[in-house]
Amino acid sequence: MKVKRIMANMATQELDKAEAFYGGILGLERLMDHGWFRTYGSDERMRVQVSFASQGGSDTPVPDFSIEVDDLEAALARFEEAGVAIEYGPVSEPWGVRRFYVRDPFGRLLNILQHE
């Protein structure tokens, strides 16, 4: 047996907030829309990964998601323009990433990062 995909499913009645945040700010495409269930993604080829942690590194909380981007400064600007509070960073970490934390509209902590 081979795992082909891991997809996170999050309950919400506020699908428009997901559209604004994940589609608008992060720029993900709406790949599927059943009205009651929407999937966002990209055609970027990604590895399947599931991480477990006792902390988020640098004594930060463990984020719910880590989202790697190709241009951290551009991502930071998009979140700031949208009025999303930056909870940590931006900071260059000793393990080779530059990152910052934000919360999505549903309270999930996101680690936005770029490998240096």
Side-chain angles (χ1 to χ4, degrees):
M1 189 224 36
K2 180 178 181 180
V3 174
K4 293 177 65 175
R5 176 171 61 158
I6 295 175
M7 189 169 83
N9 299 313
M10 293 162 285
T12 184
Q13 297 300 311
E14 301 176 291
L15 296 175
D16 290 340
K17 286 185 178 181
E19 175 75 28
F21 190 88
Y22 289 95
I25 298 171
L26 282 171
L28 295 175
E29 298 172 48
R30 190 184 313 171
L31 302 176
M32 181 175 24
D33 187 348
H34 293 299
W36 51 271
F37 187 91
R38 292 180 186 166
T39 299
Y40 296 88
S42 75
D43 60 0
E44 185 72 25
R45 188 162 187 85
M46 301 177 206
R47 288 181 277 174
V48 174
Q49 295 179 312
V50 178
S51 300
F52 301 88
S54 60
Q55 62 146 310
S58 298
D59 292 321
T60 63
V62 176
D64 297 299
F65 294 113
S66 290
I67 299 173
E68 184 177 353
V69 298
D70 65 348
D71 186 337
L72 191 79
E73 296 308 317
L76 180 62
R78 291 180 86 161
F79 282 103
E80 289 174 337
E81 288 168 11
V84 176
I86 307 303
E87 293 199 10
Y88 174 73
V91 63
S92 292
E93 300 287 11
W95 55 90
V97 300
R98 184 158 172 76
R99 68 183 182 153
F100 62 90
Y101 281 9
V102 294
R103 288 200 184 268
D104 76 3
F106 314 106
R108 290 178 191 87
L109 187 61
L110 307 183
N111 174 31
I112 310 297
L113 69 108
Q114 179 178 13
H115 282 89
E116 293 186 303

